[in-house]
Amino acid sequence: MGHWLQRLWPASLLGRLTLVMVAGLLVTQLAAGAIWASQLRAKSQVEVQSAAQYVAHSAAGAIRFFRSLPPAYRMLIIQQLREMGGTRFFVNFNHAYVPVEQIAPHPLAQSVIATVAATLKSDLPHSPGFRLAFAWPDRLVVAEHDVRLNDLPNSWVQHVLLLQPDPAPILVIQTEIEPGNWLYMAALMPNPYFLNTGDPFAWDRLMPQAASLAVVLLLCLLVVRSITRPLAALSETAAALGQGHDEDVKPLPETGSREFINTARAFGAMRERIGRYIEDRERLFISISHDLRTPITRLKLRSELLDDEALRNEFEEDLDELDMMVKGALQCVKDSDIHENPAEIRLDALLGRMVRSAQLAGQTVAYEPSGVTVRGKPLALKRALGNLIDNALFYGARAEIDVREEPGSVLINVRDHGPGVPEEALGSLSDPYVRLAHGREKNDGGMGLGLGIARGIVEAHGGRLELSNHPDGGLNALVRLPA
């Protein structure tokens, strides 16, 4: 259950705010609709019971009237009433009960029948019984021998029953006046369409609610979009700045809410401080390069004047090590801060040249073309991958390069066949000046900056460098770049 909820939960802020607002509105509408429907049903129930009692009292009066008439006069009175335009009921006499095809069961209709039956029983306690039903006009049988309502003259029913244009259900009451003589009465309820008033989900009721919900949702989406659009611009600008594309970054517009305007100003100030810091760092290292080389050279010259050969050799070793550290630090800064424009890079061409160069030098490198293209700084990426390949060949005798694509990522794996690295040392292997015992034995002159430079370049491209030991031996250097 939690896994499905996690998959349905959007990743973007726009999606989350939209989902929360839509769900909140829907839940509110459903709750309000349920309360309103409950109140509407209760109100309809009260109104229908009152109308049913009114119809029942009228029917009881009609039954008393016709029961008081001699049988020979009843049809004559009915004919006169029809010629006068009818009364509250359509009335007829039959020799037996006429079966009625009832409407589909409905709670309000059943409530009306129960109320009318109880009221008639109360008003006419000595009557033998009553047969009640609701029927549709086009299926209503009004007399023996299957005489239907549609077969009667229009003048008999046009003022009593509603047939056109929108038929309403008709209440039929039948009771036996005396043996073999049944009184048939049909009438509309005071509100002929009372069955519709109790339906809270009728189309004419749902349409205004649906329209209001759509308008509110549209306004909410517009508000959410106006809130998240500046955040999306901020995210894109921060990502471009983090990948070193400062020249492509446009200043954030200081528009929108007060909070975003303050954020845009703070981000612009931070960007300027970072730019000044990088410029100061470059000037600092250039100054260090210029200032340190002169005293180091003077110290080397003065060490030549020392008479003690052992002391002179120690001085020279210390000065050589200092000179190498300065050159290594400068090289690290230069390699990690290459100023070039991003472009589409065909990895087959880039890696193919490096593989051929290594093979011409007599080294073993395995690589299968992949047809994969990435976007980045060609020279910087070449230097990062070159460092990884050089390390693999230097410390592992031979290298295997594999390129593949995953959803959203391009993976470049460089594996060597060396002794591998202790697990506890993997986390610090790319730190500057960190060299393991195996590396010191193979290369006395190195400073341990190659992996650090590679990691810095890969991270500047929005990727990451992952180091791990291969199950069959050797070290895996996995470069994961954005697709």
Side-chain angles (χ1 to χ4, degrees):
M1 186 66 177
H3 178 68
W4 281 103
L5 289 176
Q6 186 176 5
R7 290 184 60 183
L8 292 175
W9 186 243
S12 65
L13 180 61
L14 173 61
R16 291 183 178 183
L17 288 176
T18 301
L19 179 61
V20 169
M21 298 187 74
V22 169
L25 284 172
L26 289 178
V27 170
T28 303
Q29 286 282 345
L30 289 176
I35 296 173
W36 174 70
S38 176
Q39 294 176 344
L40 180 63
R41 289 192 182 99
K43 179 182 178 183
S44 299
Q45 187 71 24
V46 172
E47 292 177 351
V48 162
Q49 287 183 353
S50 176
Q53 290 175 354
Y54 167 75
V55 172
H57 290 313
S58 299
I63 293 172
R64 290 194 194 95
F65 172 73
F66 283 105
R67 183 177 288 170
S68 66
L69 293 176
Y73 291 114
R74 291 171 182 166
M75 291 304 300
L76 179 63
I77 295 298
I78 291 174
Q79 184 63 31
Q80 290 177 349
L81 292 175
R82 290 172 180 170
E83 291 176 356
M84 292 171 58
T87 60
R88 181 76 178 75
F89 297 91
F90 167 80
V91 183
N92 193 28
F93 275 93
N94 298 299
H95 294 97
Y97 167 73
V98 177
V100 176
E101 184 178 351
Q102 301 187 35
I103 65 174
H106 192 284
L108 285 180
Q110 294 172 355
S111 176
V112 168
I113 291 175
T115 302
V116 171
T119 305
L120 288 174
K121 189 68 176 176
S122 175
D123 290 352
L124 304 170
H126 302 295
S127 293
F130 303 94
R131 301 285 187 91
L132 308 176
F134 274 103
W136 294 110
D138 58 338
R139 300 180 181 180
L140 180 60
V141 179
V142 298
E144 299 167 312
H145 309 297
D146 199 30
V147 177
R148 296 181 177 270
L149 186 63
N150 293 335
D151 300 331
L152 301 179
N154 190 45
S155 60
W156 287 16
V157 296
Q158 64 179 351
H159 300 297
V160 180
L161 304 178
L162 185 61
L163 305 181
Q164 298 294 337
D166 188 11
I170 298 173
L171 175 63
V172 178
I173 303 174
Q174 298 185 69
T175 184
E176 192 174 22
I177 299 295
E178 57 258 351
N181 207 1
W182 283 74
L183 176 63
Y184 182 105
M185 294 189 301
L188 295 173
M189 295 293 293
N191 177 8
Y193 303 104
F194 71 99
L195 294 182
N196 297 335
T197 61
D199 184 12
F201 301 107
W203 182 249
D204 58 340
R205 299 181 186 274
L206 289 180
M207 275 300 296
Q209 291 191 7
S212 64
L213 179 62
V215 171
V216 172
L217 286 179
L218 179 60
L219 293 177
C220 290
L221 290 177
L222 292 177
V223 171
V224 170
R225 182 60 180 165
S226 66
I227 293 174
T228 56
R229 185 185 293 113
L231 295 179
L234 176 61
S235 175
E236 294 175 359
T237 303
L241 182 62
Q243 294 179 10
H245 305 160
D246 187 63
E247 64 279 358
D248 299 332
V249 178
K250 297 180 180 179
L252 288 173
E254 296 183 4
T255 58
S257 63
R258 180 179 58 188
E259 291 80 6
F260 180 75
I261 292 175
N262 293 336
T263 302
R265 291 174 180 172
F267 185 85
M270 180 188 69
R271 176 187 171 191
E272 293 178 359
R273 287 195 300 270
I274 292 175
R276 289 196 300 267
Y277 167 75
I278 293 175
E279 293 175 359
D280 292 344
R281 188 188 66 165
E282 292 178 355
R283 287 195 297 268
L284 174 63
F285 276 92
I286 292 173
S287 300
I288 290 175
S289 173
H290 180 270
D291 294 343
L292 287 182
R293 284 180 179 177
T294 300
I296 289 174
T297 303
R298 288 201 304 265
L299 288 174
K300 285 185 177 181
L301 293 175
R302 289 175 182 174
S303 67
E304 296 293 335
L305 301 177
L306 294 175
D307 296 330
D308 190 338
E309 184 177 355
L311 183 60
R312 184 172 62 250
N313 291 336
E314 291 179 359
F315 263 99
E316 290 177 352
E317 290 177 1
D318 290 341
L319 291 172
D320 289 340
E321 184 176 354
L322 180 60
D323 189 30
M324 186 173 297
M325 290 180 64
V326 172
K327 291 179 179 178
L330 291 173
Q331 186 68 23
C332 178
V333 173
K334 292 178 180 178
D335 288 349
S336 302
D337 195 21
I338 300 174
H339 298 284
E340 57 178 330
N341 295 323
E344 297 294 327
I345 304 172
R346 294 175 57 246
L347 292 179
D348 287 344
L350 179 67
L351 292 171
R353 287 193 294 269
M354 290 190 285
V355 168
R356 286 192 294 272
S357 298
Q359 290 173 346
L360 289 175
Q363 295 172 320
T364 304
V365 183
Y367 173 67
E368 290 293 333
S370 61
V372 177
T373 300
V374 296
R375 183 170 181 80
K377 297 180 178 181
L379 185 58
L381 197 58
K382 178 181 179 182
R383 187 159 295 168
L385 296 176
N387 285 350
L388 297 178
I389 295 172
D390 290 342
N391 279 354
L393 293 174
F394 194 83
Y395 299 108
R398 71 180 194 273
E400 296 176 2
I401 305 174
D402 175 58
V403 177
R404 65 183 187 276
E405 287 184 293
E406 287 185 354
S409 300
V410 172
L411 306 182
I412 306 171
N413 189 71
V414 180
R415 180 204 169 189
D416 64 40
H417 289 264
V421 175
E423 292 293 333
E424 63 274 9
L426 286 173
S428 61
L429 193 59
S430 59
D431 293 344
Y433 306 110
V434 173
R435 300 177 65 225
L436 304 182
H438 175 66
R440 289 193 295 269
E441 292 173 2
K442 295 282 291 183
N443 182 12
D444 274 342
M447 298 302 298
L449 297 174
L451 286 178
I453 293 172
R455 180 183 292 276
I457 293 175
V458 171
E459 290 179 350
H461 281 76
R464 64 178 185 268
L465 174 62
E466 303 171 2
L467 302 176
S468 62
N469 286 312
H470 194 277
D472 298 331
L475 182 68
N476 265 342
L478 178 65
V479 176
R480 188 183 297 271
L481 296 173

